[in-house]
Amino acid sequence: MTEQWTSAMSFPSFSPHNPDGSLPDVADRREHIVEVAIAWQEHSARGGRIGFRSFDKLRAAGSTDAVESVNRVVELHGLMGSIGEQLSLAYAAEQDAQRWLASPVVGDPDDPEQVRVGQEHKRMAVRGLCEMSTHFALAAAHSLANTVLRVVLLDPAAAAVVNSSKAGKEGKGFLPGADGPGAWRTFSPTALFWSSVLDEAAKAAGSPQQMSALVTCLIKLQQDHRFVSLDRRRGMDYHRHRPQSLSHTSPREGIASRTDATVTVSYVSASDDTANDEKQVHHVAVDALAMLADAMQELSPLIADAARSCHVDW
């Protein structure tokens, strides 16, 4: 007897539609996420105007070279707009994941084989959508950290601390519009730059209270257990051996083992990876959305206060 199981699958859409072509409703619309995402996206529509007004403020404050600061302010508004879009994309993927989780399994309910294949189809789609959501969520977190960095760089004394560090030398001043890899620092639970160099720079700023409040908020995000879970999950799904959604006969530990002089080779049947649970991945995605929205809402007024302390408009 030959064992049979689904070894490969592809489908044309992530979203299951109702018979009339409409999308099924979701259990949790997470409207707060939408509100935060839209509020941040709207920043990109104000960059040019705020930059223009900042030039006058900087000259009034005695700045002899306002060019970099003006361009920095414009870049910051663009960054915040892009972060809002990333959150919006992460949200959309999670909403579709909810629809899949709530949808019935496709196939004849009286046929065990069709039910099993339908369940694997559902698992593969849900995991793909949740991984898409976490991809955009982690990207937003990286951009968020680099936004805070650029706010700190508005202060000359703080910028001197950053630029004298190894990271600063790699970033070559993190000039507005710079697109090289050194200009964008990695944000992860173990990246020390944020809690060491950036924290030190904030304390050296002309308005240390505003800058320190901003950096402290970012460090809180970096240490959040939900961010740690997000970083670990994406590390496995994107950089290491991603657990397959379908059953297979290629276990991670292999099929051969050695004990002293004895070598054993086992014949294995199809089984699931232990970390392919779609509900577990969905939980990580939901936590990441809530974490990001909370952090963005908390950071928004702190960014404004810190920027204004550097004589620019906001």
Side-chain angles (χ1 to χ4, degrees), residues 46-256:
R46 301 197 292 269
R49 182 174 74 252
I50 299 299
F52 191 84
R53 295 207 305 242
S54 293
F55 182 77
D56 290 337
K57 283 200 168 188
L58 286 161
R59 293 296 294 272
S63 174
T64 56
D65 184 8
V67 172
E68 183 177 324
S69 293
V70 167
N71 290 340
R72 179 85 68 197
V73 168
V74 176
E75 180 183 47
L76 282 166
H77 279 79
L79 266 172
M80 292 178 74
S82 70
I83 292 168
E85 181 174 324
Q86 288 170 321
L87 179 62
S88 184
L89 290 167
Y91 163 82
E94 186 279 326
Q95 293 286 286
D96 266 350
Q98 279 194 63
R99 293 184 177 98
W100 267 103
L101 284 166
S103 67
V105 172
V106 177
D108 184 352
D110 296 324
D111 185 334
E113 179 62 16
Q114 287 192 35
V115 170
R116 184 182 63 77
V117 172
Q119 288 172 336
E120 290 182 330
H121 180 179
K122 187 172 181 176
R123 180 190 303 148
M124 188 171 171
V126 171
R127 285 190 58 209
L129 286 161
C130 290
E131 288 165 15
M132 190 187 308
S133 180
T134 58
H135 166 78
F136 283 114
L138 193 62
H142 278 271
S143 296
L144 199 58
N146 279 278
T147 296
V148 171
L149 166 61
R150 281 153 174 77
V151 175
V152 172
L153 289 168
L154 281 169
D155 184 280
V161 173
V162 172
N163 291 331
S164 65
S165 69
K166 179 182 178 182
K169 291 170 183 174
E170 291 173 353
K172 299 177 181 178
F174 303 97
L175 295 175
D179 204 26
W184 300 91
R185 302 302 304 174
T186 298
F187 185 61
S188 71
T190 57
L192 296 177
F193 170 78
W194 310 99
S195 58
S196 57
V197 175
L198 201 63
D199 186 50
E200 181 185 349
K203 291 172 181 174
S207 299
Q209 183 176 351
Q210 288 89 337
M211 287 296 182
S212 291
L214 179 63
V215 174
T216 297
C217 186
L218 179 67
I219 294 171
K220 184 173 75 171
L221 170 63
Q222 184 183 27
Q223 297 172 345
D224 193 308
H225 69 92
R226 295 169 296 181
F227 181 63
V228 174
S229 295
L230 170 65
D231 185 74
R232 285 176 179 169
R233 184 76 208 192
R234 190 183 181 278
M236 176 174 66
D237 288 337
Y238 283 77
H239 301 298
R240 299 192 290 277
H241 186 160
R242 176 187 181 275
Q244 194 172 345
S245 298
L246 310 179
S247 300
H248 59 82
T249 60
S250 302
R252 289 171 183 262
E253 64 273 16
I255 62 171

Side-chain angles (χ1 to χ4, degrees), residues 27-41:
D28 192 339
R29 291 181 180 272
R30 311 193 198 286
E31 293 176 355
H32 172 58
I33 309 292
V34 178
E35 292 170 2
V36 174
I38 289 175
W40 275 59
Q41 285 179 65

